[in-house]
Amino acid sequence: MYPVLIVEDEKPIADLIDLTLRRMQYQCVKVYSGEDAAGLIVNRRFDLILLDVMLPGIDGFALMDYIAPTGTPVIFLTARDSVADRVRGLRMGACDYIVKPFAPEELLARVDGLMRRTGRRSARLRLWQVEIDPDARQVLRDGRPVELTPREFDLLMVLMQSRGVALYRNVLMERVWGLDSDAGPRTLDLYISRLRKKLGWADKIRTVSGVGYRLEARP
């Protein structure tokens, strides 16, 4: 598995993309100009390139001339949201076109979908002694099946997608149970307790006082 190349001249956005992808075990390389990207593209292999259009020097559209011979999939990330720009990018060979600002969850879903379609990523995730198959919604611990309810599995995936980040209780409740749920305030605590026990993650899913919960970022 090769890294994802992030070509974005705004460092905070590049850092956000990097953090989002690393939570799901993607390795990333960041560059902030078209010239730096061109040098890497011709000398290294990547599984995916996330490419801003408006770059200093060589812009994203021009970089497609360097990328095309490599066959590397490209997703454009740009504030240019006109139909003409989207059509141009797709006709130049990009697999997808995401308009800024975007939600990290949307970016991750688009990247995951593309990587799986192109055979560049296994559907299975491995963390500590746990193996997770998001498509089959199956979990193994030390090679043995773990029976999770649908809500438990959804909660696990939300925690996985935000590894290392403290998530507020109301955010977790909204993402897993929805805005119209009648679930009480102790429901989340009960489900967290069940996940800790079933996965052996008592020291991995941390309680963050006054906030909610955080899944540790590193094995």
Side-chain angles (χ1 to χ4, degrees):
M1 185 174 179
Y2 297 99
V4 174
L5 177 61
I6 301 168
V7 188
E8 168 61 64
D9 64 322
E10 295 185 52
K11 190 175 185 302
I13 296 178
D15 290 344
L16 174 62
I17 296 170
D18 184 21
L19 177 62
T20 299
L21 296 185
R22 286 183 185 275
R23 289 175 194 153
M24 296 302 284
Q25 301 179 338
Y26 288 101
Q27 297 300 310
C28 302
V29 174
K30 295 179 289 186
V31 293
Y32 309 104
S33 72
E35 286 83 356
D36 289 342
L40 283 178
I41 290 165
V42 299
N43 290 300
R44 293 184 58 179
R45 292 187 64 179
F46 297 97
D47 274 339
L48 173 67
I49 299 174
L50 299 177
L51 182 58
D52 188 15
V53 172
M54 295 182 290
L55 295 166
I58 305 173
D59 68 15
F61 290 139
L63 276 175
M64 291 298 290
D65 291 335
Y66 294 83
I67 298 170
T70 71
T72 307
V74 173
I75 296 178
F76 274 120
L77 305 173
T78 178
R80 295 171 63 165
D81 61 352
S82 72
V83 173
D85 282 329
R86 293 199 297 272
V87 169
R88 182 183 178 188
L90 294 171
R91 284 182 173 171
M92 293 183 76
C95 298
D96 206 345
Y97 195 107
I98 303 177
V99 177
K100 301 175 185 176
F102 51 83
E105 292 84 355
E106 177 189 5
L107 172 64
L108 188 57
R110 300 277 192 101
V111 169
D112 263 344
L114 176 57
M115 295 285 267
R116 290 175 188 170
R117 289 195 304 272
T118 57
R120 286 170 163 81
R121 178 173 171 85
S122 168
R124 293 180 179 269
L125 305 171
R126 292 174 179 82
L127 188 61
W128 298 293
Q129 292 78 37
V130 175
E131 184 174 317
I132 305 163
D133 186 336
D135 293 334
R137 295 178 68 86
Q138 294 178 340
V139 177
L140 301 176
R141 178 184 174 189
D142 294 322
R144 298 179 180 179
V146 178
E147 296 298 327
L148 296 184
T149 68
R151 296 285 194 199
E152 288 169 351
F153 189 89
D154 291 343
L155 178 58
L156 170 61
M157 291 308 300
V158 171
L159 291 168
M160 286 286 295
Q161 290 166 2
S162 299
R163 285 177 61 195
V165 176
L167 295 173
Y168 282 91
R169 296 171 61 87
N170 64 323
V171 171
L172 286 166
M173 293 294 295
E174 178 182 332
R175 291 187 185 179
V176 177
W177 282 269
L179 290 172
D180 300 324
S181 172
D182 294 328
R186 297 294 298 171
T187 300
L188 176 60
D189 299 332
L190 175 62
Y191 275 74
I192 289 289
S193 177
R194 288 176 179 172
L195 277 183
R196 284 170 169 162
K197 182 176 181 180
K198 291 182 177 183
L199 302 178
W201 283 2
D203 60 340
K204 310 301 183 187
I205 303 176
R206 302 283 189 176
T207 300
V208 182
S209 180
V211 178
Y213 296 98
R214 180 187 73 245
L215 178 62
E216 293 291 5
R218 297 182 180 277

